[in-house]
Amino acid sequence: MQKLNKNFLAIGAGFVFLVMAVLPWIINDEYMLELVIIFLINVLMATSYRLVTTTGDWSFCHMILVGSGAYATGLISKELGISVWLSIPLAAGVAALVGRAFIYPLLRTVGFGFFIASFAVGEFVRLVWIKFQIPFGGTRGMIGIEPPVLGNIIFYFATPYYLMTLVLVAVSLIAMYRLEKSPIGNVWKSVYEDPELAESVGIDVAKARTQAFTIGSFFAGLAGALLAHRNGSIDPSVFDINAMVLLVIWVVVGGSHTIWGPILGVIAMTLIAEFSRPLLEWRPLIYGSILIITLLFMPDGLEGLIERVSRLFARGKQQVTPKES
Amino acid sequence: MDWPTFIQTIANSIVASSIYASIAVGLALCFGVMQMANFAHGEFFMLGAYVVFVLNAMLGLPYPFVVLLAALFVGFVGLVVEQTIFKRTRGNVLAGFMATAGLGMILQVIVGQLWGFALMKTIPTPYPETVSILGAQIGVQRLLIVPGAILSVGLLWYFLHHSRIGKGLRACAQDQEAAALQGISVVRMGALAMVLAGMLAGFAGALMAPVHAVTPYMGHAVVLTAFIVVVVGGMASVEGAIVASILFGFVHTFAATIFDSVVASMIGVVVMIVVLVAKPKGLMGRAKA
């Protein structure tokens, strides 16, 4: 994928954006539009999760950061009465702060230890939501989170909410993409590839990991805020381990080498979720099988599969050096 | 807290520590020997309980015999998982972990489809009596878990320290390359570790079945706590896992008695964070070069 021409990519992305911008008038179906809104929010969750993993820190608490954004915007807009237009960015900031607090003890761990420890600190926050009826509403969570209003446009309706989500997600994706291509992104990548080597050339590994985690948390919080104002209600079970496993499945199935991987993963799993609707009881089995098959037979995900197929067509060109996992 | 409650809580703490230990030790062993992080370990525990449910509660086979069968059966499942999943994800801990997470989901659905999802299975307690220790009433079946866990973990410890193969396992855990150079088959040791871990989990599940809610999801809650215990103990250390199990068993049970189970889980996380900040390698983790 990275071999694609840069201009071609920009034009392609712009075209997709334009098509999606007029989508409400093409499909004209509330249910479909609702699905696409959730899809866009999921894309933001998956890509922000992947951003954190660029330093090699696979966390297991990303949904908690999404939830932090959701609870934050709920509390700020409902309890403090602050405009939703302000509470959404504030909520993303709160999630970034929560992420910043998480990463402090987590920096002590790497690899698998990081994964489990991040689950534990995330679970702590989820238990706080369950434990404190005031202000979090306990196990029943929070209801009546109002959608934003702009003049006489009420964002309760799918079309305006869809357009708002589309713009915010597109801006976030561009920001994450640019960040990854910037010197900061290169530092993150070097930390992933060889932390000791990175350290020996003067890179502050702890700082890089903190940056990636905090920025990823910010976008996770944004996704959570968008989710909260769309659904109107949230509760701790929305952000539990099952949701986290689903997030991992998106990124694993899609691939995590580029920002396109998680997007592919969300597309694939959304389609599978829709088609497996009659088999609700069997769904974990289907997801589990997909996860195992992906990990065992295509460890680079759909992204890697596409790359392999496109290499078949471009045969005769130079051999690409095999990547190490 | 009055005296009988205190004694009762101590007894419950010991029971909880035993359960944590018999589950966490298997995880630590697999992680130490071959860097295998088995998320389906909780489902192994669940399978052990279901073997008791099917053979004892439904078919009426004698309980001690069924417990033994459960350990053997789940040990065999461990071998199959090692051969199919961990062999292919070697060198990538997270891939193995996620693939076994997928396996856990599959096992839950299969068991649920066969014997029902929501209904809690009741298994007749083979030892319904209670004994009175220093004024506290404790069910014999719950009390049996303690010698059961000590026996199984003790046997494992003896095996690891006093048999040739066990020493080979520990050698692998210390340094795989050096162990391979001594002629130890690292691949076989990985399979053996999974069999042993499976047997321990199956045994624990079978012992717990009469006093625990038997559902397809019973392993889910257990395994994450067990992983936290293993991280606190130092990831690859069997001894560390035992010490951390006792620590968590007491902290969790006392906190749950004084406050409630939510607070107890929160205190557990705080303990983990304190240990990680103070000793990043865990309680008994070896500093690796």
Side-chain angles (χ1 to χ4, degrees), chain B residues 9-93:
Chain B
T9 313
I10 294 267
N12 288 343
S13 304
I14 296 171
V15 172
S17 304
S18 310
I19 298 163
Y20 287 151
S22 53
I23 294 167
V25 160
L27 285 178
L29 183 71
C30 290
F31 196 83
V33 173
M34 264 305 203
Q35 305 274 299
M36 294 179 290
N38 181 15
F39 192 74
H41 201 71
E43 274 64 45
F44 284 15
F45 172 76
M46 178 268 285
L47 285 180
Y50 267 87
V51 170
V52 173
F53 167 67
V54 172
L55 295 183
N56 179 258
M58 286 169 75
L59 299 176
L61 293 176
Y63 182 71
F65 175 64
V66 169
V67 171
L68 203 68
L69 272 184
L72 290 176
F73 171 69
V74 182
F76 174 71
V77 174
L79 180 67
V80 173
V81 172
E82 199 273 341
Q83 293 288 316
T84 50
I85 292 180
F86 285 118
K87 226 174 199 177
R88 288 167 173 276
T89 55
R90 200 140 285 167
N92 188 344
V93 184

Side-chain angles (χ1 to χ4, degrees), chain A residues 58 105 108 112 115-117 119-121 124 127-128 131 241 248 252 281-282 284-285 288-289 291-292 295 297, chain B residues 31 37 88 94-95 97-99 102-103 105-106 109 113 224 227 231 235 260 263 265-266 269 272-273 276-277 280:
Chain A
W58 284 78
R108 296 277 182 151
F112 188 67
F115 190 74
I116 293 299
F119 164 74
V121 292
F124 183 84
L127 291 168
V128 168
K131 176 73 191 164
I241 181 169
V248 168
V252 167
E281 271 194 347
W282 294 90
L285 185 138
S289 312
L291 188 57
I292 293 179
L295 284 164
F297 301 109
Chain B
F31 196 83
R88 288 167 173 276
L94 274 175
F97 179 87
M98 289 163 185
L103 176 73
M105 294 161 90
I106 296 174
V109 172
Q113 289 291 343
L224 285 160
F227 265 118
V231 168
M235 287 314 293
D260 59 61
V263 175
S265 303
M266 289 162 86
V269 174
M272 186 205 76
I273 292 173
L276 282 183
V277 172

Side-chain angles (χ1 to χ4, degrees), chain B residues 146-268:
Chain B
V146 180
I150 292 175
L151 182 77
S152 58
V153 174
L155 274 177
L156 177 76
W157 192 86
Y158 186 85
F159 176 74
L160 286 179
H161 286 262
H162 293 280
S163 75
R164 269 182 71 84
I165 304 174
K167 284 176 184 167
L169 271 173
R170 285 197 300 138
C172 275
Q174 269 177 16
D175 190 331
Q176 263 183 36
E177 278 179 31
L181 283 173
Q182 301 303 314
I184 298 167
S185 165
V186 179
V187 175
R188 269 195 212 155
M189 289 300 154
L192 179 64
M194 277 298 287
V195 172
L196 289 173
M199 287 175 75
L200 278 171
F203 184 72
L207 272 187
M208 287 295 289
V211 291
H212 198 284
V214 177
T215 73
Y217 307 111
M218 66 188 283
H220 213 63
V222 176
V223 71
L224 285 160
T225 317
F227 265 118
I228 294 173
V229 166
V230 170
V231 168
V232 169
M235 287 314 293
S237 160
V238 169
E239 285 85 357
I242 296 172
V243 172
S245 297
I246 295 168
L247 178 70
F248 267 76
F250 273 81
V251 168
H252 196 275
T253 312
F254 267 87
T257 313
I258 298 170
F259 309 106
D260 59 61
S261 64
V262 175
V263 175
S265 303
M266 289 162 86
I267 292 176

